[in-house]
Amino acid sequence: NKMAEELKLTADQKTKVEAVMKEQGEKMRGMRDLAPDERREKGKAFRAEMTKKMKEILTPEQFAQWEKNRPQGRPGGKKRGGDTNSQ
C-alpha cells in the first residue's frame, strides 16, 4: 500500500504489481531449503525477472522511483548500518 501511494499507481497497475509481489514471495519461500550459493543465484534470477515485469507495468518515472526505493542485495531486504537516506 505504501508503495502504491508513493508511486501513484492506477488501480490496474496496483492489481498487477500485487500479483508480481505475491509471485515473488512464493518463489522466495520456495528457496528456503536450498544451499546458500544456489539460493543466491536463484534470488538474483528472480530479482531480474521481477525488475523486467515491473518495468512493463510501471511508467518510466514510476519505475525509476521504484528502483530507487527498493531494497538492494541483502537477505530479507534489510540494509545494514545507519540510515543512508537521512540528511
Side-chain angles (χ1 to χ4, degrees), residues 10-55:
T10 65
D12 185 50
Q13 285 176 317
K14 188 174 178 182
T15 300
K16 290 176 181 177
V17 167
E18 286 172 353
V20 169
M21 295 294 196
K22 182 179 179 186
E23 178 184 346
Q24 185 76 1
E26 289 169 1
K27 286 181 179 180
M28 296 304 252
R29 280 189 290 281
M31 295 188 341
R32 288 182 181 159
D33 297 329
L34 299 177
D37 288 344
E38 191 175 357
R39 189 172 34 231
R40 190 172 15 263
E41 287 303 313
K42 285 197 177 221
K44 191 184 233 184
F46 291 160
R47 283 188 296 279
E49 181 182 337
M50 182 177 183
T51 298
K52 181 181 177 218
K53 288 179 180 181
M54 293 297 279
K55 198 168 194 173

